[in-house]
Amino acid sequence: MLPAQARLRRRPEFTAVVRSGRRAGRPTMVLHYLPERPEQPAGDASSPVAARAGFVVGKSVGNSVVRHRVTRRLRAVVRTELDRLPASADLVVRARPEAAAADSAALHRDLTAGLDRLLGDRGARR
């Protein structure tokens, strides 16, 4: 399980990452990455000091049992890779319907490949 300070929880946080962040598509998921989170209101003393992640698993993935299983697997694989992100970064992982049939190893491969693409130097891959 991800610690509470490492999770995105509110709709505006998800919206900011999806609208302003970079995107990398993989067969089982789409990653949205925002390296610098927007400024917090001055009265908010609970500003996070670590990278945060959020998950979107829609009904197209399957019924509630399948969606919860996919979410648990995604949380587990993101937890192992979250330390690669800068402390000011936010990540949203949106599951595609193919994630329902994928095992944890396939999800981990797709997450790693997506993060490599988002964090790597674009010019070096051409």
Side-chain angles (χ1 to χ4, degrees), residues 14-23 32-36 38:
F14 280 86
T15 303
V17 175
V18 171
R19 287 188 179 166
S20 302
R22 292 176 52 199
R23 184 177 73 90
H32 298 272
Y33 170 69
L34 187 63
E36 292 287 329

Side-chain angles (χ1 to χ4, degrees), residues 54-98:
F55 304 92
V56 178
V57 184
K59 286 187 178 182
S60 65
V61 174
N63 65 23
S64 66
V65 173
V66 172
R67 291 193 311 266
H68 286 290
R69 181 176 59 236
V70 169
T71 304
R72 284 192 309 270
R73 287 180 177 170
L74 287 173
R75 262 197 319 256
V77 297
V78 167
R79 183 181 59 223
T80 63
E81 299 291 328
L82 202 56
D83 61 341
R84 292 178 58 187
L85 302 178
S88 63
D90 286 341
L91 177 73
V92 171
V93 180
R94 184 173 53 85
R96 288 187 168 166
E98 294 81 4

Side-chain angles (χ1 to χ4, degrees), residues 4-16:
Q5 64 269 22
R7 288 185 298 202
L8 293 174
R9 295 184 171 187
R10 295 183 180 89
R11 183 182 185 105
E13 296 170 340
F14 280 86
T15 303

